[in-house]
Amino acid sequence: MSLLTLHYETGKAAPEVIRDGTAIAERLAEIGVLFERWEASCGFEPGADQETILAAYGEPVERLKKKYGFESADVISVEAIHPQKDELRARFLNEHTHSDFEVRFFIEGCGLFYLHPGDKVYGILCEQGDLLSVPANVRHWFDMGAEPCLKCIRLFTTPEGWVADFTGSDISQRFPKLEEYLKTFA
Ligand SMILES: [Fe+2]
């Protein structure tokens, strides 16, 4: 189940937990974040190639491209056998921003985003079928877990826009990692 948790910046005190998909989308819309659930227009095999996957989600991908001016879309996947999984995980666990939208649609697996738009922190557990946008310049970090298993569609306006600009803050250390988050809230 997708999940939204609203935390204080201190990481202390129990967060507000929101489980309903519509309520999650409404709360995230208040901070300019798009949260949607997509269904594939047709089935595809687990090992399907990028073109097949993008075709299966062709309608919503095209809708977002038109609405936000995305020029391209691709499919990335990170699995537990990825040789650089520890480095990849550690890198995006540090709070950062991008000068462009970061948009992810989860074809398979799950991942945990933390968004830090003001003095609150929004934890968003994304699972298969979830689309999440991180607006430009919003501080955030991402945890794919120690044994990552995710396949995502990414949408881009420019390739340069997705360069991570690290804030240098250690705030992410005060918040539960994916494994603990799943145990505590899911
Ligand atoms: Fe990011």
Side-chain angles (χ1 to χ4, degrees):
M1 263 314 267
S2 328
L3 205 57
L4 169 64
T5 48
L6 292 174
H7 309 252
Y8 290 103
E9 271 178 322
T10 58
K12 295 191 177 128
E16 183 183 351
V17 181
I18 299 156
R19 297 173 193 280
D20 174 70
T22 307
I24 292 173
E26 284 171 2
R27 294 299 288 270
L28 290 175
E30 292 168 6
I31 55 164
V33 170
L34 185 66
F35 177 85
E36 296 184 351
R37 292 226 171 105
W38 292 359
E39 279 184 28
S41 62
C42 57
F44 52 85
E45 299 295 316
D49 62 17
Q50 176 165 298
E51 285 65 37
T52 307
I53 293 169
L54 288 174
Y57 294 102
E59 187 278 318
V61 165
E62 286 308 313
R63 174 168 53 80
L64 287 199
K65 274 187 177 175
K66 268 202 200 104
K67 190 167 177 190
Y68 297 105
F70 296 117
E71 303 246 327
S72 60
D74 73 1
V75 174
I76 54 143
S77 97
V78 184
E79 294 171 1
I81 55 165
H82 194 292
Q84 272 108 37
K85 64 175 180 176
D86 295 341
E87 291 93 317
L88 272 177
R89 182 190 195 195
R91 181 171 166 78
F92 293 109
L93 266 174
N94 291 312
E95 188 184 66
H96 63 277
T97 61
H98 309 281
S99 59
D100 196 4
F101 258 125
E102 176 172 347
V103 180
R104 296 287 179 272
F105 170 73
F106 284 76
I107 303 158
E108 283 174 26
C110 70
L112 176 60
F113 279 92
Y114 282 102
L115 271 51
H116 184 198
D119 59 0
K120 285 267 175 67
V121 172
Y122 292 65
I124 305 135
L125 176 69
C126 288
E127 298 194 310
Q128 193 275 326
D130 291 344
L131 172 115
L132 186 77
S133 78
V134 179
N137 304 313
V138 166
R139 295 168 293 175
H140 65 281
W141 62 96
F142 176 71
D143 191 7
M144 60 179 75
E147 299 297 323
C149 162
L150 56 97
K151 189 177 276 189
C152 289
I153 294 177
R154 305 186 294 183
L155 294 155
F156 300 98
T157 50
T158 62
E160 297 77 31
W162 197 66
V163 172
D165 202 355
F166 292 95
T167 66
S169 165
D170 64 356
I171 185 171
S172 65
Q173 292 172 19
R174 300 201 290 269
F175 288 82
K177 304 281 187 295
L178 177 63
E179 291 80 3
E180 190 192 336
Y181 190 96
L182 288 168
K183 245 186 255 164
T184 310
F185 303 115

